[in-house]
């Protein structure tokens, strides 16, 4: 029986919250409206709060660049990373959670320690390694390190702890092999976890600007994030064009986030539980 | 490794079987992990003792490390980075705790609406978020000068990103908006998991809401707080993209961070060894900060 009392503190708190929500939404609003404003409106010292004479001119100029190819590159990289991560991490997480094997504790500690280290620090040797493997400036240079990052294994281990040991035991007694036990017993139980990991990996890969920046150079290999950064570097004051690019980068990923939000939240919270 | 019990012959066979199958399951993940995380980590450490560039590769002992602490720009970058961390970490933590404690009791849809909004800058992506802030900070066509000028807070237009006094604060502000998303999600879930019966019992005993928060909720969400402190520290220490997109470390190195300086040394001057040495130091500093947080937070918890 909860009674909700309205206190002055609550009124003030909700008011502040509303203002904050407005401030957090505003940059997105400014990207979307800026992308359809005319150059004259954008360069006016008095900002136009709402685009009075919307135009698609900025988008036309954006598509003079290979923007759709950049978008495709981003999607391809994120999808391949997502699939590889989900496959490798769910198998590894299952083994770490449900099998008692030699070296388990040590291996898990190594995964955890690696996760606590700053990811960006290893970018220099990683670049040299990719150059050595002749993968530099290909999408694999971004995908392979993304898949290697141990967060997915950690997350799937957390989810795999929920698989009842008796079920696995029963499957074994019925004569199911290791592979069948995994695909038919374990997978259906950890499915929500895989959903969380999939969306998490997709968004992280999409937004990992630094890694992409180091690994990709040629104009046709860029991702949408890199593409916009490049446009910004080349024509720093053409804000209309840059906002159109930002909109093209932001809208797909926000849509995906909103569609799969439920899984995503679960992924973040499960990943935080100390193992 | 498994010293707890002396296994019998049958158990030994079982353990061997389990070990083989476990490693088969682990193999694909291990290939990626060892190949693209462990190998570069080891290379980072090893080459930090080398004079390593496009053309050279010679062992130089600790001289990269010695040079670092005589390098004024590195010291400047270190101080800027610590400033960012010292400001961002507490603000992010307090802000997200406050927001979460207001929204976690609201009905499901409203709560997830707010949670989404605070997560939005993370999803939107660093580049898209940064370019719009760059426009808003623009001296001539930006919103900040207009709004602050109209309301009489400033007399003349400010070059926000071009002024040594303001540039780093602009960076910190943007960093804050892109950092609170994950902590809010975590706190909302942690607060929702606090044992209701304890809270009700305390309220029956006449505890004020402040007492309920500090005596009951705070200890229970401590692990979450610790996790948030650590991830926010790691992220703030690695602040790079904002710098590269907004100021390139300027004006006059006032927004130089360690990560940006590493990038500059390695990918502009091709001094890989020196860059890696700075990377090792950065990793050590982050580890020390995290250890301190564990110590302090762990003690309060007793």
């Amino acid at each position: 029986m909860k009674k909700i009392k309205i206190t002055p503190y609550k009124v003030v708190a909700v008011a502040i919250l509303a203002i904050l929500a407005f401030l957090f939404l505003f940059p997105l609003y400014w990207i979307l409206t800026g992308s359809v404003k005319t150059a004259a409106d954008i360069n006016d010292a008095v900002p136009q709060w709402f685009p009075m004479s919307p135009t698609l001119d900025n988008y036309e100029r954006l598509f003079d660049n290979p923007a759709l190819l950049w978008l495709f590159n981003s999607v391809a990289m994120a999808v391949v990373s997502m699939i590889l991560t989900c496959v490798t991490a769910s198998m590894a997480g299952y083994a770490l959670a449900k099998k008692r094997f030699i070296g388990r504790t040590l291996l898990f500690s190594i995964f955890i320690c690696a996760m606590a280290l700053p990811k960006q620090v290893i970018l220099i040797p990683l670049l040299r390694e990719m150059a050595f493997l002749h993968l530099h400036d290909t999408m694999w240079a971004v995908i392979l390190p993304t898949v290697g990052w141990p967060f997915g294994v950690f997350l799937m281990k957390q989810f795999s702890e929920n698989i009842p040991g008796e079920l696995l035991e029963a499957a074994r007694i019925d004569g199911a092999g290791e592979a069948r036990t995994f695909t038919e017993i374990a997978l259906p139980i950890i499915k929500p976890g895989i959903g969380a990991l999939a969306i998490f990996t997709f968004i992280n890969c999409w937004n990992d600007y630094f890694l992409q920046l180091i690994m990709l150079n040629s104009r046709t290999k860029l991702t949408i994030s890199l593409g916009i950064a490049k446009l910004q570097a080349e024509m720093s004051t053409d804000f209309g064009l840059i906002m159109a690019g930002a909109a093209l980068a932001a809208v797909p990923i926000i849509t995906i986030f909103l569609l799969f939000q439920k899984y995503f939240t679960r992924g973040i919270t499960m990943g935080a539980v100390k193992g | 490794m498994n010293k707890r019990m002396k296994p019998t012959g049958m158990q030994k066979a079982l353990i061997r079987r389990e070990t083989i199958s476990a490693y088969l399951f682990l193999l694909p993940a291990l290939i990626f992990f060892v190949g693209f995380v462990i190998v570069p980590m080891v290379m980072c450490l090893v080459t930090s003792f080398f004079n390593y560039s496009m053309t050279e590769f010679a062992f130089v002992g600790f001289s990269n490390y010695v040079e670092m602490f005589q390098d004024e720009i590195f010291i400047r970058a270190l101080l800027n980075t610590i400033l960012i961390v010292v400001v961002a970490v507490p603000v992010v933590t307090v802000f997200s705790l406050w927001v979460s404690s207001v929204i976690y009791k609201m009905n499901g849809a409203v709560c997830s609406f707010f949670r989404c909004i605070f997560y939005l800058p993370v999803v939107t992506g660093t580049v898209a978020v940064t370019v719009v802030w760059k426009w808003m900070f623009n001296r001539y066509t930006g919103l900040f000068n207009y709004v602050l000028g109209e309301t009489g807070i400033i007399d003349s237009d400010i070059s926000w990103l071009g002024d040594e006094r303001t540039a780093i604060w602009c960076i910190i502000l943007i960093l804050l908006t892109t950092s609170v998303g994950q902590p809010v999600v975590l706190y909302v879930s942690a607060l929702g998991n606090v044992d209701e019966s304890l809270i009700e019992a305390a309220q029956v005993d006449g505890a004020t809401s402040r007492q309920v928060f500090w005596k009951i909720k705070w200890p229970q969400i401590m692990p979450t707080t610790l996790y948030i402190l650590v991830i926010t520290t790691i992220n703030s220490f690695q602040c790079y993209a904002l710098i590269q997109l907004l100021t390139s470390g300027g004006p006059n190195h006032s927004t130089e961070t360690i990560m940006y300086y590493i990038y500059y040394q390695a990918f502009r001057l091709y001094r890989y060894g020196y860059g890696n040495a700075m990377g090792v130091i950065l990793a050590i500093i982050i580890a020390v900060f995290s250890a301190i947080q564990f110590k302090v937070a762990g003690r309060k918890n007793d």
Side-chain angles (χ1 to χ4, degrees):
Chain A
M1 294 298 110
K2 261 186 286 177
K3 269 181 266 167
I4 294 178
K5 274 187 295 178
I6 296 178
T7 61
Y9 168 74
K10 270 186 192 156
V11 175
V12 174
V14 171
I16 295 176
L17 203 61
I19 295 170
L20 287 172
F22 171 78
L23 292 177
F24 269 74
L25 272 177
F26 188 79
L28 188 63
Y29 172 79
W30 212 232
I31 290 175
L32 295 177
T33 52
S35 74
V36 293
K37 282 180 191 167
T38 60
D41 289 340
I42 279 186
N43 291 325
D44 197 340
V46 181
Q48 198 179 38
W49 296 104
F50 187 79
M52 300 310 279
S53 45
T55 165
L56 287 178
D57 178 56
N58 296 319
Y59 286 95
E60 271 168 35
R61 277 180 302 133
L62 176 67
F63 290 119
D64 290 341
N65 297 287
L68 284 179
L69 181 63
W70 295 340
L71 194 62
F72 172 80
N73 288 342
S74 281
V75 174
M77 255 171 244
V79 168
V80 176
S81 302
M82 176 179 91
I83 294 171
L84 284 175
T85 306
C86 287
V87 171
T88 59
S90 55
M91 286 168 66
Y94 165 73
L96 279 173
K98 286 294 152 188
K99 300 216 168 282
R100 296 289 166 270
F101 59 90
I102 299 161
R104 174 173 168 272
T105 323
L106 178 70
L107 197 59
F108 188 60
S109 318
I110 295 175
F111 275 125
I112 295 286
C113 288
M115 231 162 61
L117 284 170
K119 194 153 92 169
Q120 297 179 351
V121 165
I122 62 170
L123 284 180
I124 303 171
L126 207 48
L127 174 72
R128 304 302 298 157
E129 192 182 348
M130 291 304 169
F132 177 75
L133 296 171
H134 297 288
L135 291 174
H136 179 235
D137 204 22
T138 71
M139 65 185 232
W140 295 104
V142 174
I143 293 169
L144 300 177
T146 308
V147 179
W149 198 246
F151 177 79
V153 176
F154 175 69
L155 186 70
M156 291 318 296
K157 180 192 173 272
Q158 300 294 107
F159 275 98
S160 298
E161 303 281 5
N162 296 332
I163 306 169
E166 306 87 68
L167 267 184
L168 299 175
E169 199 54 42
R172 199 175 348 238
I173 291 166
D174 287 348
E178 291 288 352
R180 258 193 68 200
T181 312
F182 176 68
T183 52
E184 281 173 27
I185 311 286
L187 269 189
I189 298 174
I190 58 173
K191 227 186 202 164
I194 298 177
L197 180 61
I199 181 72
F200 200 82
T201 311
F202 189 95
I203 292 180
N204 277 355
C205 180
W206 184 286
N207 285 339
D208 199 342
Y209 168 70
F210 198 6
L211 180 63
Q212 298 166 5
L213 176 74
I214 302 295
M215 296 299 174
L216 306 170
N217 295 120
S218 38
R219 206 173 172 83
T220 55
K221 296 281 172 57
L222 301 185
T223 61
I224 187 75
S225 297
L226 287 177
I228 304 159
K230 203 175 185 67
L231 289 182
Q232 197 219 219
E234 285 165 4
M235 2 196 156
S236 62
T237 52
D238 189 348
F239 289 113
L241 169 70
I242 296 165
M243 290 310 124
L248 185 68
V251 169
I253 194 79
I254 290 175
T255 312
I256 289 173
F257 168 69
L258 291 178
L259 286 177
F260 297 102
Q261 212 231 104
K262 200 175 64 187
Y263 292 103
F264 194 68
T265 314
R266 195 152 25 170
I268 293 182
T269 38
M270 279 299 280
V273 182
K274 289 279 153 200
Chain B
M1 306 283 156
N2 204 337
K3 283 174 189 159
R4 265 167 302 177
M5 48 183 175
K6 275 231 161 81
T8 64
M10 259 247 311
Q11 278 171 325
K12 255 187 196 161
L14 189 67
I15 288 176
R16 193 179 315 130
R17 214 190 72 147
E18 282 277 280
T19 302
I20 292 170
S21 79
Y23 279 101
L24 286 177
F25 274 108
L26 283 160
L27 189 65
L30 280 176
I31 292 173
F32 287 98
F33 176 63
V34 172
F36 305 104
V37 178
I38 296 295
V39 166
M41 266 178 195
V42 174
M43 273 167 68
C44 179
L45 186 61
V46 171
T47 56
S48 72
F49 297 103
F50 284 78
N51 181 4
Y52 177 24
S53 68
M54 295 289 252
T55 51
E56 283 170 293
F57 191 75
F59 183 76
V60 290
F62 281 93
S63 84
N64 283 326
Y65 292 91
V66 174
E67 179 184 346
M68 199 184 312
F69 289 100
Q70 291 161 350
D71 183 341
E72 276 174 30
I73 300 176
F74 174 78
I75 301 293
R76 187 93 200 252
L78 182 64
L79 294 176
N80 286 335
T81 311
I82 290 176
L83 174 69
I84 291 173
V85 172
V86 167
V87 175
V89 174
V91 173
V92 166
T93 312
V94 172
F95 179 94
S96 50
L97 180 56
W98 181 79
V99 166
S100 310
S101 62
V102 177
I103 66 174
Y104 90 102
K105 273 196 172 159
M106 294 178 169
N107 86 39
V110 181
C111 177
S112 66
F113 167 77
F114 279 114
R115 217 168 38 182
C116 270
I117 287 193
F118 290 107
Y119 208 84
L120 211 51
V122 186
V123 181
T124 309
T126 315
V127 180
V129 167
T130 309
V131 292
V132 72
W133 281 95
K134 188 165 190 175
W135 179 21
M136 294 197 284
F137 281 129
N138 185 279
R139 181 169 191 167
Y140 306 103
T141 62
L143 264 186
F144 276 86
N145 278 336
Y146 175 77
V147 171
L148 295 177
E150 285 294 299
T151 50
I153 294 171
I154 55 172
D155 311 325
S156 58
D157 285 355
I158 293 177
S159 170
W160 295 98
L161 296 168
D163 190 314
E164 274 188 51
R165 289 162 302 175
T166 51
I168 194 150
W169 297 102
C170 296
I171 304 269
I172 293 176
L173 179 66
I174 305 174
L175 183 69
L176 292 177
T177 71
T178 58
S179 301
V180 296
Q182 199 170 343
V184 168
V185 174
L186 291 169
Y187 267 139
V188 166
S189 135
L191 287 167
N193 287 336
V194 172
D195 196 344
E196 270 304 314
S197 60
L198 279 178
I199 298 174
E200 275 164 26
Q203 279 164 342
V204 170
D205 289 345
T208 64
S209 53
R210 181 170 301 177
Q211 282 169 327
V212 168
F213 179 81
W214 287 110
K215 299 282 179 199
I216 296 171
K217 293 182 189 167
W218 179 246
Q220 289 203 35
I221 59 172
M222 201 59 197
T224 307
T225 304
L226 201 50
Y227 180 74
I228 289 170
L229 286 174
V230 172
I231 55 165
T232 313
T233 305
I234 294 179
N235 288 339
S236 311
F237 263 116
Q238 295 189 86
C239 178
Y240 165 80
L242 293 177
I243 313 287
Q244 194 246 356
L245 292 163
L246 288 173
T247 62
S248 304
N252 190 21
H253 302 293
S254 63
T255 58
E256 195 90 53
T257 60
I258 300 184
M259 212 53 237
Y260 187 78
Y261 194 51
I262 291 176
Y263 169 85
Y264 175 77
Q265 286 289 339
F267 300 115
R268 290 284 171 268
L269 306 183
Y270 301 105
R271 298 191 59 200
Y272 300 124
Y274 190 43
N276 281 333
M278 290 192 280
V280 171
I281 292 294
L282 180 62
I284 292 173
I285 293 174
I286 292 177
V288 169
F289 264 72
S290 302
I292 293 173
Q293 285 162 347
F294 268 97
K295 258 257 153 68
V296 173
R299 199 177 51 207
K300 270 191 197 151
N301 213 5
D302 288 338

